[in-house]
Amino acid sequence: MAKTKSGKAAQQDPNDLLENPEVLAERLGRGEAFLKQNSKVLGGVLIAAIILIGGILFFQINNENKNKEAQAEMFQAVYFYEQDSIDFALNGDGINAGFLEIVDEYPRTDAANLANFYIGSIYLSEKNFGEAIEYLEKFSSDDYLVQAKAYSLLGDAHLESGNLDQAISNYEKAASYKENDYFTPRYLYKLAIAYEEAGRIQDAIASYDEIETKYYESYEYSFARKHKARLEGLAAK
């Protein structure tokens, strides 16, 4: 004889329970009771969420406003930079802000980020390699020309400082970052020089070969062919 199920839950299918008006009413009642009992907690969570969202929006709007201010102030510093008035570009002229002030006054803005690039390149030109590295490493950009240039400048600063491994690493980044016919062969040429200084002759030959094979219309092409032949002669001895 088959056993019979006991109790209300055993006599009905779970789907039937969800369709039963009495069961639904009971469960809704439980939900209302829960809300009443925990209204303060739920209200606190809601307020915290509103404050968090409001804080994020305020930060974004405030940062955008600061970025616009910084870009307007940086205009003159860029002009000084382009005119080779390096001291004014860095420190300002007493009326207009320089790049260093932009970085200090407007941190976390796009303008300050770009100012790091300018500052790094200026220090590199002044052979202040440590400062150049510090500021260039703070810079990042989605612009393939500027970011690759920053890697190349970092490579120059490390090379001049005698840090061959870091120089090679940054030249590799510059050469492989969104390759193009104009700048990539230049970075490959620098990379080959760094490889040779590090004693990595075959890697240097490979870099020159890439210029010869892929960038035969570039300015670096004839130099790459000459130095590749020279290194192949040395390697054959």
Side-chain angles (χ1 to χ4, degrees):
M1 183 177 178
K3 294 182 179 179
T4 59
K5 297 180 180 179
S6 60
K8 186 182 294 185
Q11 294 173 0
Q12 298 185 38
D13 185 88
N15 293 325
D16 294 336
L17 290 175
L18 294 176
E19 295 174 3
N20 189 316
E22 295 179 359
V23 174
L24 288 175
E26 180 184 352
R27 294 188 176 181
L28 288 174
R30 291 177 186 171
E32 291 176 2
F34 176 82
L35 289 175
K36 289 178 181 179
Q37 294 172 3
N38 297 277
S39 59
K40 291 184 179 180
V41 175
L42 294 173
V45 171
L46 180 60
I47 291 172
I50 292 172
I51 292 173
L52 176 62
I53 294 171
I56 292 172
L57 291 174
F58 173 79
F59 175 80
Q60 291 176 338
I61 294 171
N62 184 60
N63 201 59
E64 181 60 30
N65 290 336
K66 283 185 175 296
N67 186 54
K68 289 179 180 178
E69 292 176 17
Q71 287 178 339
E73 288 200 28
M74 197 167 75
F75 177 82
Q76 190 64 38
V78 173
Y79 174 78
F80 287 139
Y81 178 88
E82 292 174 346
Q83 298 300 312
D84 291 329
S85 299
I86 302 305
D87 186 62
F88 284 162
L90 272 180
N91 303 300
D93 60 355
I95 300 173
N96 301 286
F99 292 126
L100 290 171
E101 185 177 341
I102 296 296
V103 168
D104 289 338
E105 293 293 323
Y106 301 97
R108 298 182 299 277
T109 63
D110 293 339
N113 179 51
L114 185 57
N116 285 323
F117 175 84
Y118 282 114
I119 294 168
S121 65
I122 289 172
Y123 281 139
L124 179 61
S125 69
E126 295 180 336
K127 302 186 185 303
N128 191 342
F129 304 122
E131 295 286 349
I133 292 168
E134 178 185 344
Y135 282 94
L136 287 169
E137 285 183 340
K138 294 177 182 177
F139 172 77
S140 64
S141 175
D142 292 331
D143 186 297
Y144 75 96
L145 294 179
V146 181
Q147 183 59 70
K149 179 66 173 178
Y151 288 141
S152 177
L153 293 178
L154 271 169
D156 294 344
H158 281 295
L159 186 67
E160 294 293 339
S161 300
N163 303 321
L164 282 175
D165 288 343
Q166 287 297 320
I168 288 170
S169 175
N170 280 285
Y171 287 145
E172 287 174 340
K173 290 177 183 177
S176 62
Y177 191 82
K178 300 181 181 179
E179 299 176 17
N180 60 89
D181 292 341
Y182 186 77
F183 290 103
T184 301
R186 185 179 305 178
Y187 303 145
L188 284 169
Y189 191 81
K190 289 184 176 184
L191 178 59
I193 292 172
Y195 277 145
E196 183 175 357
E197 287 201 25
R200 297 169 59 175
I201 303 303
Q202 291 302 323
D203 288 328
I205 291 172
S207 291
Y208 287 132
D209 183 68
E210 187 171 352
I211 296 172
E212 184 180 358
T213 304
K214 295 171 63 176
Y215 303 103
Y216 44 84
E217 294 183 349
S218 68
Y219 173 79
E220 291 77 15
Y221 173 76
S222 59
F223 298 101
R225 289 192 65 188
K226 180 178 70 174
H227 289 298
K228 177 187 170 186
R230 174 179 60 83
L231 292 179
E232 286 177 334
L234 289 174
K237 292 180 180 179

